[in-house]
Amino acid sequence: MAWGFADMDDITFLEPFERLLKDLSSPRQVRAIEAGEDGHALWSGIAESGFLDALMPEASGGAGLALRDVGLLVEALGRYLTPFPVAETMVARALLAQEGMAMPDGAILLAAMSGDVARNVPLALVARHALIDTGSAIVLQEIDRDALPRPSVHGGLAADIRLADPILTLPRPLQGLRAMQAVLDAAKMAGVAARLLEMTVAYANERVQFGKPIGKQQAIQQQLAIMAEKTVMMRMAARIGTGCAEWPSLAAAATAKSVTSAAAVDVAAIAHAVHGAIGISEEHDLQLYTRRLQEWRVANGSEGYWQRQLGDIRLAHDASSSAAFARAIPPTA
Amino acid sequence: MFDKFTLRALPDEDEAMRGPLRALIAARIANLPADRRARSWLGFDRDLSLALGRAGYLGLTLPRRYGGQEKSAYARFVVAEELLSVGAPVAAHWIADRQSAQLILHFGTEAQREAYLPGICRGEIYFCIGMSEPGSGSDLASVRTRAERSGDGWRLNGQKIWTTFAQHDDYMIALVRTSGGAADRQQGLSQFIIDLKAPGVTVRPIVDLTGDAHFAEVFFEDVALPAEALIGQEGAGWAQVTAELAFERSGPERIFSSIVLLDTWIAHVREVRAKDVAATALIGRLCAELATLRAMSLAVTAQLVEGESPVIEASLVKDLGTGFEQSIPALIADDLGSHPDETVSPELARTLAFVTQIAPSYSLRGGTREILRGIIARGLGLR
Ligand SMILES: Cc1cc2nc3c(=O)[nH]c(=O)nc-3n(C[C@H](O)[C@H](O)[C@H](O)COP(=O)(O)OP(=O)(O)OC[C@H]3O[C@@H](n4cnc5c(N)ncnc54)[C@H](O)[C@@H]3O)c2cc1C
C-alpha cells in the first residue's frame, strides 16, 4: 500500500509513518535485527508504504517532497531506533531518480570520504548499497556484508566502508553528501533524545527511594530540567537543518550537527545517571537509545568537525555582527 | 510537551524595520567603545530612549490610542535584537517598555493607562521593578514591605533592593503586602505604582563589583500613596507579578548579553590568527549555539503573538540563554590566555574583564537558574 503524499501535509503522513514504525520497529524487533536477523518485515513494510520515494520527483513516480517536508519523519526514525538507513535511502533514490538511473533494491547508505575509507558508517551491516561522495563525484557501489569488519560496539551495526568498483557515477550536489547526512543524523538524534526524556521522566516518577519517587528530589528535578533544555535545543538545531527546502546549506548542516552532537553527550549522561544500575543492563532498552546517540554524535563529523566548518564560514563572512550571521543560518520559508 | 518549539520566520513587515532602525542606532553608538556597549541593558542613555520613542520604536505592541504602534511581539523582537546585538545602551526605557507597560495595559484602570502609557511610548518616563527585598530573593512571596489603608489611600513602609536604576527612574511597580502576614504567602499581596520622587522615598545606589552603580536600595518611610497608586486588584499581586515575569523572561535579551564581547574577539581572531583551528572551532560553536537559541527565542515570541503565556518555554530559553552568555567570557578568556604573547587591544581586554565580572549576574537577575529549572521540572510533571 502506498500513501498519496501529494495532498497531505507533513503532520498527516507522520501519523501513519509512526504507526508503521511502532508496529515494525519496536525495541524487540530492533534487538533482533541487531542480533543478525534480516529484518525483512520492517524493510518491506517501509518499502511498500512508498515512503522511500518521498523525495523523488513526481515525474519519476515519487511524492516530490522537499527535505523540510520529511524532517519529522526523520526524527521519528530516530525515536523508533529504526535499524535501516531509511532517510538515507530516500535521499539516495531521489538523487538517482534525478539522473534517470535504475533503482537498486534495498537500503542505500550515504557516506563521504576524502581517502578510500569512511570510518564507522552507521547501519552499514544492513545496507545493500552505498552512495559515496568522493569529494569530486558521487558513486554507487554494492556493499558486501560478509566482507565488512565486525562492529566495534556491542549490538552495533556500523562498519568502515571502503571505496570499491562503482556501479555508476552521479554529479555531486553542491554541498556534498556529508552535509545532508549530518542533518539526517541531527534529526535522528533529536528524535532519540525526545524519547529518552520521556523514558527518563517516567522512570523518575516511578522509582522509589527514601520513601518517595526519586523525581521528587530536587537534585533529580534539576538534572531533568537540563535534559529537557538540551533535548529542545537538539530539536531546534535539527530543524534548522531539515528546514531547508532542498539540499541543506553548509552553515545549516554545521549548526544542526554541532549542536545536536554536543548536547547528545549530556542527554545520554543524564538519562543513564537517573536510571541507575538498571540502565547499564543489556536487557533494559535505555542502552539502545544511548548507544545511538554516542554513535551518531561522531558519525559524519562530531561537534568539533562542524564547529570548525562553521567557524571558517563565519571568518570568511564579512558581516561584523554575529547576530546577523546567526540570523541568516536557518532556512527561510 | 515542548511542541511549541518549531522554526518560525519573522513577518516581512517587521524585518523591514531593521534598515532604518540600524541607521538610528549606529549614529547613537558610534562613539561608544566595546566595553561601554557591553553594558547594553545596563547602559542608561536618556537621549537614545527619546530618539527611539520619537521614531516609533517603543510601545510597539501597545494600542495606538496610548501612543503605541499596534504591532505584534515580532516587531518588539526585531527591535530588541537590533538594539541588543550591538550593545545599545537601552536601560532607560527597557523595563517600562518590556514589562511595566504590559502590566499597566492589562491590569491598570483607564486613567492609569492614559497617565503612563503615552510617556512610555515617547521614551520619556522610566520604570523599575520592585520585587526583591533583603529577605526576599527567590522566595518572592515572603516580601515584607507593607501598604496599609490610610484615609482614601495607603501608607507604605519597607524596603526594596537590587532595584535596577531606581536612582534614575520615575516610578517603581512594587509587590507589597496589603493584608495578612508572611504565613499567608501568595495571598494578601498587591502591586503599586510608586512615584520615586514622593516624600518618604529614599534611593541609595549600590556600587557593583565592576565599579558601576546600576542597581539601588529603596527605602519607604510612611510614604503616602493615593488610592490610584494601586494597580490591578488588591490581593491579586501574585497573579499579576507572575504575568509580569512572563514578559520579563520571554524576550530575546537572554542570549545577547555577551555578544559585543563575542564580536570584538572575533575581529581580533580574524586579524591576528584567522587560521587558528581552536579559535575557529570556538567561533563556530558559539555561532551555532547562537543561531539555535535565537530560533528558540523566536518560537517563544510566536507564542506571545498567539496570545499564550509561555512560562515554561521562556524559563527554558532563559536558562539556556544565560548559560550561553556566561560561557562566552570564560571561553574567550581561555583562548586569549592560551596565547600569552599575543597583543590584545585595551578595548578587548576591558570588554572581556567587564563581561567576566558581570556574567554571574546573568543567571540571577530575572530569576535564578535553580528557580527556572524548578519551573521546567514542574512542566515535566515532576512536582
Ligand atoms: C544585576 C541584577 C539586577 C537586578 N535587578 C532587579 C530589579 O530591578 N528588581 C528586583 O526586584 N530584583 C532585581 N534583582 C534581584 C534578583 O531578582 C535576585 O537576585 C534573584 O531573584 C535571586 O534572589 P537573591 O539574590 O536574594 O538570591 P537567593 O534567593 O538568596 O538565592 C541564592 C541561591 O540559592 C538558590 N535558591 C534559593 N531558593 C532555592 C530553592 N527553593 N531551591 C534551590 N535553590 C534555591 C538560588 O538559586 C541561588 O543560587 C537583580 C539582581 C541582579 C544581580
Side-chain angles (χ1 to χ4, degrees):
Chain A
M1 168 204 48
W3 287 293
F5 299 100
D7 31 60
M8 295 187 184
D9 60 34
D10 49 356
I11 306 295
T12 10
F13 62 72
L14 181 63
E15 203 205 312
F17 189 69
E18 286 213 300
R19 224 180 307 121
L20 179 88
L21 296 181
K22 198 165 188 245
D23 290 345
L24 298 174
S25 185
S26 68
R28 189 179 52 77
Q29 289 152 321
V30 169
R31 284 170 185 273
I33 294 169
E34 288 180 353
E37 276 184 24
D38 67 3
H40 179 75
L42 172 56
W43 180 256
S44 56
I46 290 170
E48 283 159 23
S49 74
F51 277 111
L52 295 176
D53 296 339
L55 298 176
M56 268 166 49
E58 286 179 80
S60 334
L65 296 181
L67 178 61
R68 67 162 169 249
D69 303 317
V70 300
L72 298 181
L73 300 190
V74 186
E75 287 176 34
L77 289 164
R79 181 183 182 84
Y80 289 94
L81 307 163
T82 307
F84 280 108
V86 176
E88 292 75 2
T89 306
M90 282 182 193
V91 171
R93 290 174 74 89
L95 285 177
L96 290 163
Q98 262 167 34
E99 299 303 317
M101 301 291 184
M103 215 49 75
D105 272 349
I108 310 173
L109 285 178
L110 306 179
M113 54 178 83
S114 54
D116 61 357
V117 59
R119 232 177 336 127
N120 219 28
V121 181
L123 300 169
L125 291 174
V126 292
R128 301 266 292 272
H129 290 87
L131 206 55
I132 294 175
D133 183 346
T134 64
S136 52
I138 306 288
V139 295
L140 181 73
Q141 68 179 50
E142 222 165 344
I143 295 182
D144 178 3
R145 183 181 171 149
D146 297 331
L148 293 179
R150 282 171 46 82
S152 47
V153 63
H154 180 66
L157 296 168
D160 292 356
I161 299 277
R162 297 191 165 277
L163 204 56
D165 289 338
I167 301 171
L168 53 84
T169 302
L170 301 175
R172 184 174 179 271
L174 192 60
Q175 309 299 355
L177 291 189
R178 184 171 278 159
M180 175 61 94
Q181 181 66 60
V183 165
L184 300 179
D185 291 338
K188 288 195 275 185
M189 282 195 281
V192 168
R195 179 71 193 120
L196 272 177
L197 177 64
E198 288 169 12
M199 288 170 65
T200 310
V201 168
Y203 185 75
N205 275 329
E206 233 169 72
R207 170 73 174 165
V208 173
Q209 285 294 282
F210 299 98
K212 56 183 178 187
I214 55 169
K216 296 285 170 218
Q217 305 284 359
Q218 199 188 44
I220 297 287
Q221 292 175 351
Q222 299 268 314
Q223 287 302 300
L224 289 174
I226 296 171
M227 189 180 178
E229 291 173 359
K230 300 275 176 177
T231 299
V232 174
M233 202 171 170
M234 287 172 76
R235 160 181 163 147
M236 211 69 211
R239 289 186 184 183
I240 287 175
T242 56
C244 296
E246 302 299 333
W247 210 262
S249 71
L250 217 49
T255 298
K257 187 62 164 59
S258 68
V259 170
T260 50
S261 285
V265 178
D266 303 321
V267 166
I270 296 174
H272 270 297
V274 173
H275 275 84
I278 192 77
I280 304 297
S281 70
E282 183 186 53
E283 191 188 342
H284 197 284
D285 288 340
L286 185 65
Q287 52 100 358
L288 299 175
Y289 297 89
T290 55
R291 165 158 37 85
R292 279 167 175 73
L293 285 187
Q294 302 294 358
E295 183 176 289
W296 294 338
R297 172 206 171 197
V298 285
N300 302 294
S302 62
E303 63 269 32
Y305 173 83
W306 287 107
Q307 287 164 359
R308 285 201 313 276
Q309 303 297 310
L310 191 62
D312 279 335
I313 301 172
R314 171 70 180 93
L315 286 169
H317 196 262
D318 52 11
S320 62
S321 149
S322 297
F325 176 74
R327 196 157 64 231
I329 293 177
T332 46
Chain B
M1 71 154 306
F2 296 112
D3 297 348
K4 302 290 175 174
F5 285 104
T6 56
L7 273 192
R8 298 296 190 129
L10 287 162
D12 290 342
E13 66 198 75
D14 298 320
E15 283 284 357
M17 296 166 73
R18 289 189 201 275
L21 174 58
R22 213 170 278 170
L24 185 159
I25 300 169
R28 298 266 159 190
I29 63 168
N31 296 322
L32 289 183
D35 57 307
R36 294 311 308 173
R37 289 186 291 113
R39 280 153 170 87
S40 193
W41 45 301
L42 291 178
F44 196 100
D45 178 355
R46 189 176 291 267
D47 291 339
L48 172 66
S49 296
L50 290 169
L52 289 168
R54 265 196 309 275
Y57 293 116
L58 303 184
L60 286 159
T61 63
L62 297 185
R64 286 200 179 278
R65 66 179 183 283
Y66 305 121
Q69 303 293 325
E70 280 182 26
K71 294 187 181 194
S72 74
Y74 288 131
R76 178 172 188 272
F77 186 95
V78 168
V79 171
E81 195 168 48
E82 287 299 323
L83 288 164
L84 298 175
S85 65
V86 293
V90 295
H93 70 272
W94 200 249
I95 285 162
D97 182 66
R98 178 178 72 192
Q99 64 199 80
S100 316
Q102 297 298 334
L103 189 80
I104 293 167
L105 179 69
H106 286 92
F107 300 108
T109 61
E110 194 52 38
Q112 284 169 328
R113 294 176 186 165
E114 279 166 9
Y116 301 109
L117 297 182
I120 292 177
C121 294
R122 287 193 303 267
E124 285 172 8
I125 59 175
Y126 310 132
F127 279 71
C128 57
I129 307 165
M131 296 188 195
S132 306
E133 297 183 4
S136 304
S138 301
D139 183 12
L140 184 56
S142 69
V143 290
R144 278 190 288 198
T145 298
R146 195 170 190 101
E148 283 173 329
R149 287 207 177 268
S150 151
D152 283 349
W154 304 81
R155 200 176 54 241
L156 182 71
N157 279 288
Q159 184 196 342
K160 294 289 172 185
I161 195 168
W162 314 124
T163 321
T164 299
F165 286 124
Q167 61 269 44
H168 298 326
D169 291 340
D170 306 293
Y171 301 97
M172 170 193 283
I173 296 186
L175 180 72
V176 309
R177 187 155 285 292
T178 43
S179 69
D184 294 299
R185 307 285 302 157
Q186 285 100 325
Q187 311 295 318
L189 301 175
S190 305
Q191 286 188 300
F192 287 88
I193 301 178
I194 300 165
D195 181 347
L196 293 169
K197 308 285 179 306
V201 178
T202 309
V203 179
R204 275 198 218 128
I206 301 171
V207 177
D208 82 356
L209 73 183
T210 71
D212 287 358
H214 41 85
F215 44 29
E217 46 188 348
V218 184
F219 300 90
F220 307 110
E221 259 178 285
D222 285 329
V223 179
L225 296 176
E228 59 272 20
L230 178 74
I231 170 122
Q233 295 291 313
E234 181 186 345
W238 188 257
Q240 291 175 202
V241 91
T242 306
E244 183 182 351
L245 281 169
F247 282 107
E248 175 165 352
R249 290 173 183 160
S250 56
E253 43 269 78
R254 309 301 177 167
I255 37 183
F256 291 121
S257 301
S258 301
I259 194 93
V260 172
L261 170 61
L262 176 62
D263 282 337
T264 310
W265 169 72
I266 291 177
H268 168 86
V269 171
R270 197 196 296 264
E271 200 179 300
V272 302
R273 49 185 157 87
K275 298 276 175 268
D276 183 281
V277 173
T280 303
L282 182 53
I283 290 170
R285 166 181 163 181
L286 295 172
C287 288
E289 291 177 358
L290 179 61
T292 308
L293 291 168
R294 192 246 179 202
M296 294 174 71
S297 184
L298 189 53
V300 170
T301 299
Q303 284 188 270
L304 292 178
V305 170
E306 283 147 25
E308 297 169 34
S309 186
V311 174
I312 300 167
E313 289 85 351
S315 300
L316 193 146
V317 177
K318 179 176 182 285
D319 190 30
L320 280 172
T322 54
F324 167 73
E325 294 175 335
Q326 289 174 337
S327 74
I328 291 175
L331 293 164
I332 290 178
D334 183 37
D335 172 80
L336 296 176
S338 306
H339 299 86
D341 300 323
E342 191 169 285
T343 304
V344 169
S345 74
E347 189 179 9
L348 173 55
R350 280 197 307 269
T351 307
L352 174 60
F354 171 79
V355 177
T356 301
Q357 270 189 306
I358 200 71
S361 71
Y362 299 163
S363 61
L364 299 174
R365 60 185 187 190
T368 69
R369 166 167 296 146
E370 288 72 22
I371 296 302
L372 298 174
R373 290 178 182 171
I375 293 171
I376 298 165
R378 183 170 297 124
L380 289 170
L382 293 161
R383 351 182 358 215

